[in-house]
Amino acid sequence: MGRVFITRAAKFLPNSPVSNDEMEEVLGKIDQQASKARRIVLRNNGIQTRYYALTKQGKITHTNAQLTFEAIQTLCDSHFALSQIEVLSCGTSTPDSLLPSHAAMVHGLMKTKSLELNSSSGVCCSGMNALKFGFLSIKADTAANAVCTGSERVSTWMKSEKFEEEVANLKCLEETPIIAFKKDFLRWMLSDGCGAFLLENQPRGERSVEILWMDYYSYAFELEACMYAGGDKLADGSIKPWSDYAAQEWLTESVFSLKQDVKILNENILDKGVESMKATLEKNKITVDDIDYFLPHVSSHYFVDGLYTKFAEAGIEIAKDKWFMNLKHVGNVGSASIYLMFEELMNSGQLKSGDRILLSVPESGRFSYAYAYLKVV
């Protein structure tokens, strides 16, 4: 089978970075009240700046498709043009529309030619799923190149106006008009942006990186949903879909808001991460000594020390000086985060021939984990 190389990596982060103190100005205050959760969440997640496809006054500046198109354009240079792309594979948690697909909407902005499309949905692993489609397309020799992306535009989901009907409904019921922590929590966690890779069947330039293998694990067969949207969770753990609600309930229950069951997250995200990491290392016959750079997507710095400790207890301790992260200044951009981490590393000038890189992406949707093992040519 063919070999697959990341020959270029690019990103697009919209507008100026937004500090912790500016977040509520941009997203707005729910019921004109400052969030009680904001400072606690920000203290734990360790994020200092993030990016929104919004002005400081809350005006929308980009769609998700536009963010993606901007990053893809940055991949192109005098040696590679948009018109040469053979496969476009896009992953996101936050598409602009249910239909058409996200990749189709991005392709619509390109104005080039017919090409093969793939849209991967889900949570953070959707970006890795998109990468695997491109990887396998080249590996199987059905294409000479592929552009793969991970992108999110979640800020518009988090604007205070999206929760006003729910607050009004709570007041009518004479309940405390504060949205549930499972919704407010995520308003202070997530960011916008896109990362993009150009995959080719030959190395090019000075920094080509070969994808040696990719691996994926799901624990949905034994764990209920943790992060969800477009529905609500029932007492038995099942999800009632948005289409089963009355139209008015879409507003009064904030059915389309992102939600996360923090209790289930804390109980499972690290343990399943260690279980899947151990499985992928054993399956692919590598050890921690075969890793020069470890790029873990974590939603919050809160989990870093716990993850390191659990790895060590499982006999797969990866020295902290091998960990490469940019969460603090880029933010948690969901499916785009792993692309943005690798883009920063690849373009940093510090990689050298022979360096081996492990990408690790968990998602709390229903607990999935994706891995990719790379080697600098």
Side-chain angles (χ1 to χ4, degrees), residues 134-368:
F135 168 68
L136 292 177
S137 295
I138 297 173
K139 197 81 173 165
D141 199 28
T142 63
N145 69 65
V147 166
C148 304
T149 68
S151 67
E152 304 295 353
R153 195 200 67 170
V154 70
S155 58
T156 55
W157 294 36
M158 302 301 183
K159 292 180 71 176
S160 59
E161 63 194 44
K162 298 293 197 299
F163 302 92
E164 288 174 358
E165 289 288 338
E166 179 176 359
V167 169
N169 184 49
L170 289 169
K171 286 181 176 178
C172 289
L173 296 172
E174 297 183 350
E175 295 181 8
T176 304
I178 298 173
I179 65 168
F181 181 73
K182 65 184 178 181
K183 300 175 186 177
D184 198 20
F185 168 75
L186 289 171
R187 296 186 77 220
W188 319 116
M189 292 291 295
L190 303 171
S191 311
D192 298 346
C194 179
F197 295 165
L198 172 59
L199 274 52
E200 298 185 84
N201 59 4
Q202 299 288 334
R204 182 162 60 88
E206 298 179 359
R207 289 192 303 271
S208 292
V209 180
E210 184 173 7
I211 303 177
L212 299 180
W213 51 258
M214 297 188 70
D215 212 0
Y216 191 99
Y217 298 82
S218 167
Y219 297 94
F221 70 98
E222 60 181 356
L223 296 174
E224 65 187 59
C226 174
M227 188 175 184
Y228 51 100
D232 221 342
K233 202 170 180 181
L234 303 181
D236 63 359
S238 63
I239 300 292
K240 180 180 177 179
W242 64 270
S243 54
D244 288 0
Y245 285 85
Q248 183 58 31
E249 290 179 304
W250 297 348
L251 296 173
T252 58
E253 303 298 328
S254 299
V255 168
F256 287 96
S257 67
L258 281 168
K259 298 166 276 282
Q260 191 164 46
D261 189 325
V262 180
K263 181 176 183 294
I264 294 176
L265 178 73
N266 289 335
E267 288 175 351
N268 295 287
I269 195 68
L270 296 184
D271 288 343
K272 292 304 182 185
V274 172
E275 183 178 332
S276 60
M277 171 73 104
K278 194 165 186 179
T280 200
L281 295 181
E282 291 175 356
K283 173 183 174 182
N284 293 286
K285 298 180 172 56
I286 68 168
T287 70
V288 294
D289 294 330
D290 299 310
I291 301 169
D292 298 301
Y293 290 94
F294 178 51
L295 276 59
H297 166 51
V298 294
S299 61
S300 167
H301 280 283
Y302 170 81
F303 291 115
V304 172
D305 287 340
L307 184 61
Y308 175 83
T309 299
K310 285 186 175 290
F311 277 157
E313 291 171 352
I316 49 175
E317 182 177 3
I318 302 174
K320 278 285 187 69
D321 60 6
K322 294 183 177 183
W323 293 44
F324 184 92
M325 301 171 64
N326 60 6
L327 179 67
K328 186 175 291 185
H329 60 270
V330 172
N332 176 6
V333 201
S335 66
S337 286
I338 197 66
Y339 285 79
L340 296 170
M341 265 190 284
F342 181 77
E343 183 277 336
E344 189 168 319
L345 177 61
M346 185 176 184
N347 294 326
S348 68
Q350 67 189 74
L351 290 178
K352 61 184 186 298
S353 179
D355 281 344
R356 298 152 301 178
I357 305 160
L358 183 66
L359 310 182
S360 169
V361 179
E363 72 167 43
S364 61
R366 201 154 173 172
F367 298 98
S368 301

Side-chain angles (χ1 to χ4, degrees), residues 36-108:
K36 294 182 178 180
R38 184 177 72 88
R39 292 193 181 280
I40 297 170
V41 174
L42 290 171
R43 184 172 66 242
N44 283 319
N45 69 26
I47 300 169
Q48 296 180 358
T49 56
R50 75 282 297 144
Y51 294 80
Y52 292 143
L54 301 169
T55 65
K56 294 292 175 70
Q57 294 73 41
K59 182 180 178 181
I60 297 168
T61 61
H62 300 81
T63 65
N64 191 332
Q66 288 170 335
L67 295 174
T68 307
F69 180 53
E70 293 285 352
I72 292 171
Q73 285 185 301
T74 308
L75 287 175
C76 300
D77 58 16
S78 59
H79 302 289
F80 189 85
L82 276 177
S83 59
Q84 293 176 257
I85 299 173
E86 297 182 18
V87 174
L88 178 63
S89 183
C90 302
T92 188
S93 314
T94 54
D96 297 317
S97 54
L98 295 176
L99 299 169
S101 74
H102 177 53
M105 298 306 290
V106 175
H107 187 214

